[in-house]
Amino acid sequence: MINEKKRIFGTGNKDKLKETQRRLNRAVRKEKLRYKKKVEKYFTDNNMAQVWRGLRLMSGYTRGDNKSWQLPEVSTSYADEVNTFYNQFDSLDFSNGIYYLRTQLTYNPEPFLVISEDKVRYQFAKINPSKAAGPDMLSPRVLRTCSGKLAGIFTHIFNLSFSTLAIPEIWKQSCIIPVPKSSTVSCMDDLRPVALTSVVMKICERFVLTSLRKVIAI
C-alpha cells in the first residue's frame, strides 16, 4: 500500500491519493491493534522476553550495543583542548566593527522596533517545552506556562534592548556540547558541536527578522 501511494503521488491524482492515504491509515491502525494483542498474549503466556522485545520495538528503544564510543582520555588537558578549539573565535576583536555598526544605527533617535506585549505572549505560548535551557537557565517550560505573567517584563526588556541597541550578554552566549561523529574520536574534527543558546534570544531574533522582512517588502 505504501508503494501504491508513492506511485499515485507521482501521477498527481489528488483525489485518488487521499483515498489511498485513508486506506493506508486504516491498515496501520489495524496492524497496530493486532501487534498490541500479540504483545498482550505474551503477558498471559508469561513470555517476558518477548514482552520486553515487543515494548522496545514499539517505543523505538535500542541499547546501542553495536556502538562502542572510544573517547580520548578525559583529563584536564583534554577539556582545555576542547574549550580552546571551540572558543577560537573569542580571540578575534570585533570592537571596531561593532562600534561602526552602532554609530550607523544611532542616527535615528526613534527605536527601530517596538514590540507589543501580545506578540511576546504569543511567542512564549508557542515555545516547545521539551527544549533544553541555554546558558541563561531560563526553562522553555516555565516561559510557556507562565507566558501571561512574564510577557510584560520581557516586553520591557525587548523594547529597551531595541532602543539602546544592546542585548544582555547572557543571551549572546551558548553552551557547546561536542558529540562524536563516529565510534572512535581521534581528533577534534571527529566531534560535532551542538550549541545550546538562549530561548529568549531566539525569540528576540525572530522579532528582528520579521521586522526586516517587512521593511524589505516595502
Side-chain angles (χ1 to χ4, degrees):
M1 293 182 68
I2 293 176
N3 291 333
E4 181 183 358
K5 177 187 172 183
K6 293 179 181 178
R7 181 182 59 80
I8 296 175
F9 180 82
T11 63
N13 191 333
K14 294 184 179 180
D15 294 334
K16 196 170 183 180
L17 181 62
K18 289 181 180 179
E19 176 60 28
T20 305
Q21 182 63 54
R22 282 195 290 267
R23 290 193 293 111
L24 180 59
N25 290 340
R26 287 195 295 268
V28 169
R29 287 195 296 268
K30 182 179 178 181
E31 288 301 312
K32 284 183 176 180
L33 181 60
R34 184 187 66 82
Y35 193 79
K36 174 176 172 289
K37 292 180 178 179
K38 182 179 178 180
V39 175
E40 288 176 348
K41 188 175 183 301
Y42 290 146
F43 270 106
T44 57
D45 295 342
N46 201 23
N47 189 345
M48 301 310 296
Q50 290 294 339
V51 168
W52 285 113
R53 188 175 294 111
L55 290 176
R56 285 197 297 266
L57 179 61
M58 287 188 291
S59 62
Y61 171 79
T62 56
R63 292 184 301 174
D65 294 336
N66 57 335
K67 293 182 179 180
S68 177
W69 301 110
Q70 298 179 3
L71 294 175
E73 182 182 355
V74 180
S75 59
T76 304
S77 60
Y78 175 70
D80 291 339
E81 185 180 359
V82 173
N83 286 329
T84 303
F85 182 79
Y86 286 115
N87 292 287
Q88 54 186 306
F89 296 105
D90 287 349
S91 60
L92 301 179
D93 185 11
F94 298 100
S95 57
N96 292 334
I98 294 174
Y99 175 77
Y100 174 76
L101 182 61
R102 186 182 294 274
T103 54
Q104 295 297 313
L105 293 174
T106 51
Y107 282 131
N108 187 1
E110 297 295 330
F112 75 97
L113 179 60
V114 177
I115 300 299
S116 66
E117 184 174 337
D118 291 338
K119 291 183 178 179
V120 175
R121 187 183 300 108
Y122 174 73
Q123 291 295 332
F124 279 5
K126 289 172 54 180
I127 294 177
N128 186 349
S130 63
K131 294 292 185 180
D136 56 2
M137 301 305 292
L138 287 174
S139 170
R141 185 177 299 276
V142 172
L143 293 174
R144 177 169 176 168
T145 305
C146 306
S147 58
K149 300 294 183 181
L150 297 177
I153 183 61
F154 275 99
T155 301
H156 176 72
I157 296 175
F158 285 146
N159 289 327
L160 185 63
S161 297
F162 297 145
S163 62
T164 59
L165 304 178
I167 300 293
E169 288 294 330
I170 190 65
W171 290 4
K172 295 185 287 185
Q173 296 178 8
S174 61
C175 179
I176 298 178
I177 301 175
V179 179
K181 297 179 182 178
S182 59
S183 58
T184 303
V185 177
S186 58
C187 62
M188 291 299 161
D189 290 333
D190 293 334
L191 299 173
R192 179 184 293 107
V194 177
L196 288 178
T197 57
S198 171
V199 178
V200 180
M201 184 60 187
K202 294 178 182 177
I203 295 176
C204 183
E205 293 173 349
R206 196 175 302 159
F207 286 139
V208 175
L209 291 175
T210 302
S211 176
L212 290 177
R213 291 192 188 101
K214 291 181 180 179
V215 172
I216 294 174
I218 295 174

Short mmCIF file of all heavy atoms in Angstrom, two decimals, residues 35-94:
data_model
loop_
_atom_site.label_atom_id
_atom_site.label_comp_id
_atom_site.label_asym_id
_atom_site.label_seq_id
_atom_site.Cartn_x
_atom_site.Cartn_y
_atom_site.Cartn_z
N TYR A 35 -0.75 -6.07 16.65
CA TYR A 35 0.52 -6.25 17.35
C TYR A 35 0.33 -6.05 18.86
O TYR A 35 0.96 -6.72 19.68
CB TYR A 35 1.56 -5.27 16.82
CG TYR A 35 2.96 -5.59 17.28
CD1 TYR A 35 3.69 -6.60 16.67
CD2 TYR A 35 3.54 -4.90 18.33
CE1 TYR A 35 4.97 -6.91 17.09
CE2 TYR A 35 4.82 -5.19 18.77
CZ TYR A 35 5.53 -6.20 18.14
OH TYR A 35 6.78 -6.51 18.57
N LYS A 36 -0.57 -5.14 19.24
CA LYS A 36 -0.86 -4.92 20.65
C LYS A 36 -1.43 -6.19 21.28
O LYS A 36 -1.02 -6.60 22.38
CB LYS A 36 -1.86 -3.77 20.80
CG LYS A 36 -2.36 -3.53 22.21
CD LYS A 36 -3.27 -2.31 22.23
CE LYS A 36 -3.94 -2.17 23.60
NZ LYS A 36 -4.95 -3.21 23.83
N LYS A 37 -2.35 -6.83 20.58
CA LYS A 37 -2.93 -8.07 21.10
C LYS A 37 -1.87 -9.17 21.17
O LYS A 37 -1.88 -10.01 22.08
CB LYS A 37 -4.08 -8.52 20.21
CG LYS A 37 -5.29 -7.60 20.27
CD LYS A 37 -6.40 -8.10 19.37
CE LYS A 37 -7.63 -7.19 19.47
NZ LYS A 37 -8.72 -7.64 18.59
N LYS A 38 -0.92 -9.14 20.23
CA LYS A 38 0.14 -10.14 20.23
C LYS A 38 1.03 -9.99 21.46
O LYS A 38 1.39 -10.97 22.12
CB LYS A 38 0.97 -9.98 18.95
CG LYS A 38 2.08 -10.99 18.79
CD LYS A 38 2.82 -10.76 17.47
CE LYS A 38 3.98 -11.73 17.31
NZ LYS A 38 4.71 -11.51 16.04
N VAL A 39 1.36 -8.73 21.80
CA VAL A 39 2.19 -8.48 22.98
C VAL A 39 1.43 -8.84 24.24
O VAL A 39 1.99 -9.39 25.20
CB VAL A 39 2.65 -7.01 23.01
CG1 VAL A 39 3.41 -6.70 24.30
CG2 VAL A 39 3.55 -6.71 21.81
N GLU A 40 0.12 -8.53 24.28
CA GLU A 40 -0.68 -8.88 25.45
C GLU A 40 -0.74 -10.39 25.65
O GLU A 40 -0.79 -10.87 26.78
CB GLU A 40 -2.09 -8.30 25.29
CG GLU A 40 -2.15 -6.79 25.44
CD GLU A 40 -3.53 -6.25 25.17
OE1 GLU A 40 -4.38 -7.02 24.65
OE2 GLU A 40 -3.77 -5.06 25.48
N LYS A 41 -0.75 -11.13 24.57
CA LYS A 41 -0.75 -12.59 24.67
C LYS A 41 0.55 -13.09 25.30
O LYS A 41 0.56 -14.07 26.05
CB LYS A 41 -0.94 -13.23 23.30
CG LYS A 41 -1.16 -14.75 23.35
CD LYS A 41 -1.46 -15.30 21.97
CE LYS A 41 -1.74 -16.80 22.05
NZ LYS A 41 -0.62 -17.56 22.62
N TYR A 42 1.66 -12.40 25.02
CA TYR A 42 2.92 -12.76 25.65
C TYR A 42 2.82 -12.60 27.17
O TYR A 42 3.40 -13.38 27.93
CB TYR A 42 4.06 -11.90 25.11
CG TYR A 42 4.43 -12.19 23.68
CD1 TYR A 42 4.86 -11.17 22.83
CD2 TYR A 42 4.37 -13.48 23.17
CE1 TYR A 42 5.21 -11.44 21.52
CE2 TYR A 42 4.71 -13.75 21.86
CZ TYR A 42 5.13 -12.72 21.03
OH TYR A 42 5.47 -12.99 19.73
N PHE A 43 2.08 -11.57 27.61
CA PHE A 43 1.87 -11.38 29.04
C PHE A 43 1.12 -12.57 29.65
O PHE A 43 1.51 -13.10 30.69
CB PHE A 43 1.07 -10.09 29.29
CG PHE A 43 1.93 -8.87 29.47
CD1 PHE A 43 2.04 -7.92 28.47
CD2 PHE A 43 2.63 -8.67 30.65
CE1 PHE A 43 2.82 -6.80 28.63
CE2 PHE A 43 3.43 -7.55 30.82
CZ PHE A 43 3.53 -6.61 29.81
N THR A 44 0.03 -12.93 28.99
CA THR A 44 -0.78 -14.03 29.53
C THR A 44 -0.02 -15.35 29.51
O THR A 44 -0.23 -16.21 30.37
CB THR A 44 -2.08 -14.16 28.72
OG1 THR A 44 -1.77 -14.37 27.34
CG2 THR A 44 -2.94 -12.91 28.85
N ASP A 45 0.88 -15.52 28.53
CA ASP A 45 1.68 -16.74 28.46
C ASP A 45 2.94 -16.67 29.32
O ASP A 45 3.74 -17.61 29.33
CB ASP A 45 2.08 -17.01 27.01
CG ASP A 45 0.88 -17.32 26.13
OD1 ASP A 45 -0.17 -17.66 26.69
OD2 ASP A 45 1.01 -17.22 24.89
N ASN A 46 3.15 -15.50 29.99
CA ASN A 46 4.32 -15.29 30.85
C ASN A 46 5.63 -15.40 30.07
O ASN A 46 6.65 -15.84 30.59
CB ASN A 46 4.32 -16.30 32.02
CG ASN A 46 5.19 -15.81 33.17
OD1 ASN A 46 5.43 -14.61 33.31
ND2 ASN A 46 5.66 -16.73 33.97
N ASN A 47 5.59 -14.95 28.81
CA ASN A 47 6.80 -14.94 27.98
C ASN A 47 7.40 -13.54 28.06
O ASN A 47 7.22 -12.71 27.16
CB ASN A 47 6.44 -15.31 26.54
CG ASN A 47 7.67 -15.54 25.68
OD1 ASN A 47 8.78 -15.17 26.05
ND2 ASN A 47 7.47 -16.14 24.52
N MET A 48 8.13 -13.23 29.14
CA MET A 48 8.61 -11.88 29.40
C MET A 48 9.69 -11.43 28.43
O MET A 48 9.82 -10.23 28.15
CB MET A 48 9.12 -11.77 30.84
CG MET A 48 8.06 -12.10 31.88
SD MET A 48 6.50 -11.21 31.62
CE MET A 48 7.05 -9.52 31.86
N ALA A 49 10.46 -12.38 27.90
CA ALA A 49 11.49 -12.00 26.93
C ALA A 49 10.85 -11.37 25.69
O ALA A 49 11.30 -10.34 25.18
CB ALA A 49 12.33 -13.22 26.55
N GLN A 50 9.77 -12.01 25.19
CA GLN A 50 9.07 -11.46 24.04
C GLN A 50 8.34 -10.17 24.38
O GLN A 50 8.20 -9.27 23.54
CB GLN A 50 8.09 -12.50 23.49
CG GLN A 50 8.73 -13.70 22.83
CD GLN A 50 9.46 -13.32 21.55
OE1 GLN A 50 9.21 -12.28 20.94
NE2 GLN A 50 10.39 -14.16 21.14
N VAL A 51 7.89 -10.07 25.63
CA VAL A 51 7.20 -8.85 26.06
C VAL A 51 8.14 -7.64 25.95
O VAL A 51 7.80 -6.61 25.36
CB VAL A 51 6.67 -9.00 27.50
CG1 VAL A 51 6.23 -7.64 28.05
CG2 VAL A 51 5.51 -9.97 27.52
N TRP A 52 9.33 -7.78 26.53
CA TRP A 52 10.28 -6.66 26.51
C TRP A 52 10.77 -6.38 25.09
O TRP A 52 10.98 -5.23 24.73
CB TRP A 52 11.46 -6.96 27.43
CG TRP A 52 11.12 -6.82 28.88
CD1 TRP A 52 11.07 -7.80 29.82
CD2 TRP A 52 10.75 -5.61 29.55
NE1 TRP A 52 10.69 -7.30 31.02
CE2 TRP A 52 10.48 -5.95 30.90
CE3 TRP A 52 10.62 -4.29 29.14
CZ2 TRP A 52 10.11 -5.00 31.84
CZ3 TRP A 52 10.22 -3.35 30.09
CH2 TRP A 52 9.98 -3.71 31.41
N ARG A 53 10.91 -7.43 24.29
CA ARG A 53 11.32 -7.21 22.90
C ARG A 53 10.25 -6.42 22.14
O ARG A 53 10.55 -5.52 21.36
CB ARG A 53 11.59 -8.56 22.23
CG ARG A 53 12.20 -8.43 20.83
CD ARG A 53 12.56 -9.78 20.24
NE ARG A 53 13.64 -10.43 21.01
CZ ARG A 53 13.49 -11.51 21.74
NH1 ARG A 53 12.29 -12.08 21.83
NH2 ARG A 53 14.50 -12.02 22.40
N GLY A 54 8.99 -6.76 22.40
CA GLY A 54 7.90 -6.04 21.75
C GLY A 54 7.79 -4.60 22.21
O GLY A 54 7.56 -3.69 21.40
N LEU A 55 7.98 -4.36 23.51
CA LEU A 55 7.91 -3.00 24.03
C LEU A 55 9.05 -2.14 23.48
O LEU A 55 8.86 -0.96 23.16
CB LEU A 55 7.96 -3.02 25.56
CG LEU A 55 6.72 -3.59 26.26
CD1 LEU A 55 6.94 -3.66 27.76
CD2 LEU A 55 5.49 -2.75 25.94
N ARG A 56 10.24 -2.73 23.37
CA ARG A 56 11.36 -1.97 22.80
C ARG A 56 11.10 -1.64 21.34
O ARG A 56 11.45 -0.55 20.88
CB ARG A 56 12.67 -2.77 22.94
CG ARG A 56 13.23 -2.79 24.36
CD ARG A 56 14.69 -3.21 24.35
NE ARG A 56 14.83 -4.57 23.86
CZ ARG A 56 14.88 -5.64 24.63
NH1 ARG A 56 14.74 -5.50 25.94
NH2 ARG A 56 15.02 -6.84 24.13
N LEU A 57 10.49 -2.55 20.62
CA LEU A 57 10.19 -2.30 19.21
C LEU A 57 9.16 -1.19 19.06
O LEU A 57 9.31 -0.30 18.21
CB LEU A 57 9.69 -3.58 18.56
CG LEU A 57 9.31 -3.49 17.07
CD1 LEU A 57 10.52 -3.09 16.25
CD2 LEU A 57 8.74 -4.81 16.58
N MET A 58 8.12 -1.22 19.89
CA MET A 58 7.07 -0.20 19.78
C MET A 58 7.55 1.18 20.21
O MET A 58 7.12 2.20 19.66
CB MET A 58 5.86 -0.62 20.64
CG MET A 58 5.06 -1.76 20.05
SD MET A 58 3.53 -2.08 20.94
CE MET A 58 4.17 -2.71 22.51
N SER A 59 8.45 1.23 21.20
CA SER A 59 8.93 2.53 21.69
C SER A 59 10.15 3.03 20.94
O SER A 59 10.58 4.17 21.15
CB SER A 59 9.27 2.41 23.18
OG SER A 59 10.31 1.46 23.38
N GLY A 60 10.71 2.20 20.06
CA GLY A 60 11.90 2.61 19.32
C GLY A 60 13.16 2.62 20.16
O GLY A 60 14.16 3.25 19.80
N TYR A 61 13.15 1.92 21.29
CA TYR A 61 14.30 1.91 22.18
C TYR A 61 15.34 0.91 21.71
O TYR A 61 15.03 -0.21 21.35
CB TYR A 61 13.87 1.53 23.60
CG TYR A 61 15.03 1.27 24.54
CD1 TYR A 61 15.73 2.33 25.11
CD2 TYR A 61 15.42 -0.03 24.84
CE1 TYR A 61 16.79 2.08 25.96
CE2 TYR A 61 16.48 -0.28 25.69
CZ TYR A 61 17.16 0.79 26.25
OH TYR A 61 18.21 0.54 27.09
N THR A 62 16.59 1.37 21.66
CA THR A 62 17.72 0.48 21.37
C THR A 62 18.83 0.80 22.35
O THR A 62 19.07 1.96 22.70
CB THR A 62 18.24 0.67 19.94
OG1 THR A 62 18.59 2.06 19.74
CG2 THR A 62 17.19 0.28 18.91
N ARG A 63 19.51 -0.22 22.80
CA ARG A 63 20.59 -0.03 23.77
C ARG A 63 21.88 0.42 23.10
O ARG A 63 22.80 0.86 23.75
CB ARG A 63 20.85 -1.32 24.53
CG ARG A 63 19.71 -1.71 25.46
CD ARG A 63 20.06 -2.95 26.26
NE ARG A 63 20.37 -4.08 25.38
CZ ARG A 63 20.82 -5.25 25.81
NH1 ARG A 63 21.05 -5.42 27.09
NH2 ARG A 63 21.05 -6.23 24.96
N GLY A 64 21.94 0.31 21.79
CA GLY A 64 23.15 0.72 21.11
C GLY A 64 24.33 -0.19 21.38
O GLY A 64 25.47 0.26 21.51
N ASP A 65 24.07 -1.51 21.50
CA ASP A 65 25.16 -2.44 21.81
C ASP A 65 26.17 -2.54 20.67
O ASP A 65 27.31 -2.95 20.87
CB ASP A 65 24.59 -3.84 22.09
CG ASP A 65 23.75 -3.86 23.36
OD1 ASP A 65 24.00 -2.97 24.21
OD2 ASP A 65 22.88 -4.72 23.49
N ASN A 66 25.74 -2.15 19.46
CA ASN A 66 26.65 -2.27 18.32
C ASN A 66 27.62 -1.11 18.24
O ASN A 66 28.45 -1.06 17.35
CB ASN A 66 25.85 -2.35 17.01
CG ASN A 66 24.94 -1.14 16.83
OD1 ASN A 66 24.55 -0.50 17.81
ND2 ASN A 66 24.62 -0.82 15.59
N LYS A 67 27.51 -0.15 19.17
CA LYS A 67 28.41 1.00 19.16
C LYS A 67 29.26 0.98 20.41
O LYS A 67 28.78 0.70 21.50
CB LYS A 67 27.63 2.31 19.07
CG LYS A 67 26.91 2.51 17.74
CD LYS A 67 26.21 3.86 17.70
CE LYS A 67 25.51 4.08 16.38
NZ LYS A 67 24.83 5.39 16.34
N SER A 68 30.50 1.31 20.23
CA SER A 68 31.41 1.39 21.37
C SER A 68 32.19 2.70 21.26
O SER A 68 33.16 2.79 20.51
CB SER A 68 32.36 0.19 21.38
OG SER A 68 33.28 0.30 22.43
N TRP A 69 31.68 3.74 21.94
CA TRP A 69 32.32 5.04 21.85
C TRP A 69 33.67 5.01 22.55
O TRP A 69 33.76 4.69 23.72
CB TRP A 69 31.43 6.11 22.49
CG TRP A 69 30.09 6.22 21.86
CD1 TRP A 69 28.89 5.87 22.40
CD2 TRP A 69 29.81 6.70 20.55
NE1 TRP A 69 27.88 6.10 21.52
CE2 TRP A 69 28.40 6.62 20.37
CE3 TRP A 69 30.57 7.19 19.50
CZ2 TRP A 69 27.78 7.01 19.20
CZ3 TRP A 69 29.95 7.58 18.33
CH2 TRP A 69 28.58 7.49 18.19
N GLN A 70 34.70 5.33 21.81
CA GLN A 70 36.06 5.33 22.36
C GLN A 70 36.55 6.78 22.37
O GLN A 70 37.08 7.28 21.37
CB GLN A 70 36.98 4.45 21.51
CG GLN A 70 36.56 2.99 21.50
CD GLN A 70 37.47 2.14 20.65
OE1 GLN A 70 38.46 2.63 20.11
NE2 GLN A 70 37.14 0.87 20.51
N LEU A 71 36.35 7.45 23.48
CA LEU A 71 36.78 8.83 23.61
C LEU A 71 38.22 8.88 24.11
O LEU A 71 38.68 7.94 24.77
CB LEU A 71 35.88 9.56 24.61
CG LEU A 71 34.42 9.76 24.19
CD1 LEU A 71 33.64 10.40 25.34
CD2 LEU A 71 34.32 10.61 22.94
N PRO A 72 38.93 9.95 23.77
CA PRO A 72 40.28 10.11 24.34
C PRO A 72 40.21 10.18 25.86
O PRO A 72 39.13 10.34 26.44
CB PRO A 72 40.75 11.45 23.74
CG PRO A 72 39.89 11.66 22.53
CD PRO A 72 38.57 11.02 22.85
N GLU A 73 41.34 10.06 26.47
CA GLU A 73 41.38 10.10 27.93
C GLU A 73 40.82 11.43 28.43
O GLU A 73 41.29 12.51 28.05
CB GLU A 73 42.82 9.95 28.42
CG GLU A 73 42.93 9.94 29.93
CD GLU A 73 44.38 9.83 30.37
OE1 GLU A 73 45.25 9.68 29.50
OE2 GLU A 73 44.62 9.91 31.58
N VAL A 74 39.77 11.35 29.22
CA VAL A 74 39.12 12.55 29.72
C VAL A 74 39.94 13.11 30.87
O VAL A 74 39.94 12.56 31.97
CB VAL A 74 37.68 12.25 30.19
CG1 VAL A 74 37.02 13.53 30.70
CG2 VAL A 74 36.88 11.66 29.05
N SER A 75 40.65 14.17 30.58
CA SER A 75 41.51 14.79 31.59
C SER A 75 41.38 16.30 31.47
O SER A 75 40.67 16.83 30.61
CB SER A 75 42.97 14.37 31.37
OG SER A 75 43.40 14.76 30.08
N THR A 76 42.07 17.00 32.35
CA THR A 76 42.02 18.46 32.34
C THR A 76 42.60 19.01 31.04
O THR A 76 42.06 19.96 30.46
CB THR A 76 42.79 19.02 33.54
OG1 THR A 76 42.26 18.48 34.75
CG2 THR A 76 42.69 20.54 33.57
N SER A 77 43.68 18.42 30.56
CA SER A 77 44.30 18.89 29.32
C SER A 77 43.37 18.68 28.12
O SER A 77 43.28 19.53 27.23
CB SER A 77 45.62 18.17 29.09
OG SER A 77 45.41 16.76 28.99
N TYR A 78 42.64 17.54 28.10
CA TYR A 78 41.71 17.28 27.00
C TYR A 78 40.55 18.27 27.04
O TYR A 78 40.12 18.79 26.00
CB TYR A 78 41.18 15.85 27.09
CG TYR A 78 40.13 15.54 26.06
CD1 TYR A 78 40.44 15.44 24.71
CD2 TYR A 78 38.80 15.35 26.44
CE1 TYR A 78 39.48 15.17 23.75
CE2 TYR A 78 37.83 15.07 25.50
CZ TYR A 78 38.17 14.97 24.17
OH TYR A 78 37.20 14.71 23.25
N ALA A 79 40.03 18.56 28.24
CA ALA A 79 38.96 19.54 28.36
C ALA A 79 39.42 20.93 27.91
O ALA A 79 38.68 21.65 27.23
CB ALA A 79 38.46 19.59 29.81
N ASP A 80 40.66 21.30 28.27
CA ASP A 80 41.21 22.58 27.83
C ASP A 80 41.36 22.63 26.32
O ASP A 80 41.11 23.67 25.68
CB ASP A 80 42.57 22.84 28.50
CG ASP A 80 42.42 23.10 29.99
OD1 ASP A 80 41.31 23.48 30.41
OD2 ASP A 80 43.41 22.90 30.72
N GLU A 81 41.76 21.51 25.73
CA GLU A 81 41.91 21.45 24.27
C GLU A 81 40.56 21.62 23.57
O GLU A 81 40.46 22.35 22.57
CB GLU A 81 42.54 20.12 23.87
CG GLU A 81 42.86 20.01 22.38
CD GLU A 81 43.47 18.67 22.02
OE1 GLU A 81 43.65 17.84 22.93
OE2 GLU A 81 43.74 18.45 20.82
N VAL A 82 39.52 20.98 24.10
CA VAL A 82 38.18 21.14 23.52
C VAL A 82 37.70 22.58 23.64
O VAL A 82 37.17 23.15 22.68
CB VAL A 82 37.19 20.18 24.22
CG1 VAL A 82 35.76 20.45 23.74
CG2 VAL A 82 37.56 18.74 23.93
N ASN A 83 37.91 23.20 24.81
CA ASN A 83 37.48 24.58 25.00
C ASN A 83 38.22 25.53 24.06
O ASN A 83 37.63 26.44 23.48
CB ASN A 83 37.71 25.00 26.46
CG ASN A 83 36.69 24.40 27.40
OD1 ASN A 83 35.55 24.16 27.01
ND2 ASN A 83 37.10 24.15 28.63
N THR A 84 39.52 25.31 23.91
CA THR A 84 40.31 26.17 23.02
C THR A 84 39.86 26.01 21.57
O THR A 84 39.77 26.99 20.82
CB THR A 84 41.81 25.82 23.14
OG1 THR A 84 42.22 25.96 24.50
CG2 THR A 84 42.64 26.74 22.26
N PHE A 85 39.55 24.77 21.18
CA PHE A 85 39.16 24.50 19.80
C PHE A 85 37.83 25.18 19.45
O PHE A 85 37.69 25.78 18.39
CB PHE A 85 39.06 22.99 19.56
CG PHE A 85 38.71 22.62 18.16
CD1 PHE A 85 39.67 22.62 17.16
CD2 PHE A 85 37.41 22.25 17.83
CE1 PHE A 85 39.34 22.27 15.86
CE2 PHE A 85 37.07 21.89 16.54
CZ PHE A 85 38.03 21.90 15.54
N TYR A 86 36.85 25.09 20.36
CA TYR A 86 35.53 25.63 20.06
C TYR A 86 35.35 27.10 20.44
O TYR A 86 34.34 27.70 20.11
CB TYR A 86 34.45 24.79 20.76
CG TYR A 86 34.25 23.45 20.11
CD1 TYR A 86 34.56 22.27 20.78
CD2 TYR A 86 33.77 23.35 18.81
CE1 TYR A 86 34.39 21.04 20.17
CE2 TYR A 86 33.61 22.13 18.19
CZ TYR A 86 33.91 20.97 18.88
OH TYR A 86 33.75 19.75 18.27
N ASN A 87 36.33 27.65 21.15
CA ASN A 87 36.26 29.07 21.50
C ASN A 87 37.34 29.88 20.80
O ASN A 87 37.70 30.96 21.25
CB ASN A 87 36.39 29.24 23.02
CG ASN A 87 35.20 28.69 23.77
OD1 ASN A 87 34.12 29.27 23.76
ND2 ASN A 87 35.39 27.56 24.42
N GLN A 88 37.83 29.36 19.68
CA GLN A 88 38.91 30.06 18.99
C GLN A 88 38.49 31.40 18.44
O GLN A 88 39.31 32.32 18.30
CB GLN A 88 39.45 29.17 17.85
CG GLN A 88 38.37 28.69 16.88
CD GLN A 88 38.91 27.71 15.86
OE1 GLN A 88 39.88 28.02 15.17
NE2 GLN A 88 38.29 26.54 15.76
N PHE A 89 37.19 31.56 18.14
CA PHE A 89 36.74 32.84 17.59
C PHE A 89 36.62 33.92 18.66
O PHE A 89 36.49 35.09 18.34
CB PHE A 89 35.39 32.66 16.89
CG PHE A 89 35.47 31.75 15.69
CD1 PHE A 89 34.97 30.47 15.76
CD2 PHE A 89 36.06 32.19 14.52
CE1 PHE A 89 35.04 29.62 14.65
CE2 PHE A 89 36.14 31.35 13.42
CZ PHE A 89 35.63 30.06 13.48
N ASP A 90 36.64 33.53 19.94
CA ASP A 90 36.58 34.52 21.00
C ASP A 90 37.83 35.39 21.04
O ASP A 90 37.82 36.47 21.62
CB ASP A 90 36.40 33.84 22.36
CG ASP A 90 34.99 33.28 22.52
OD1 ASP A 90 34.14 33.62 21.68
OD2 ASP A 90 34.75 32.51 23.47
N SER A 91 38.92 34.92 20.44
CA SER A 91 40.16 35.69 20.45
C SER A 91 40.15 36.82 19.42
O SER A 91 41.02 37.68 19.43
CB SER A 91 41.36 34.77 20.20
OG SER A 91 41.22 34.12 18.93
N LEU A 92 39.18 36.79 18.50
CA LEU A 92 39.10 37.84 17.48
C LEU A 92 38.48 39.10 18.06
O LEU A 92 37.60 39.05 18.90
CB LEU A 92 38.26 37.34 16.28
CG LEU A 92 38.79 36.08 15.58
CD1 LEU A 92 37.87 35.69 14.43
CD2 LEU A 92 40.20 36.30 15.06
N ASP A 93 38.96 40.25 17.57
CA ASP A 93 38.50 41.55 18.07
C ASP A 93 37.52 42.16 17.07
O ASP A 93 37.91 42.53 15.96
CB ASP A 93 39.69 42.48 18.29
CG ASP A 93 39.28 43.80 18.93
OD1 ASP A 93 38.12 43.88 19.39
OD2 ASP A 93 40.09 44.73 18.96
N PHE A 94 36.26 42.21 17.45
CA PHE A 94 35.22 42.79 16.60
C PHE A 94 34.78 44.17 17.08
O PHE A 94 33.76 44.68 16.66
CB PHE A 94 33.99 41.87 16.57
CG PHE A 94 34.26 40.51 15.99
CD1 PHE A 94 34.46 39.42 16.81
CD2 PHE A 94 34.32 40.32 14.61
CE1 PHE A 94 34.70 38.16 16.28
CE2 PHE A 94 34.56 39.07 14.08
CZ PHE A 94 34.75 37.98 14.91
#
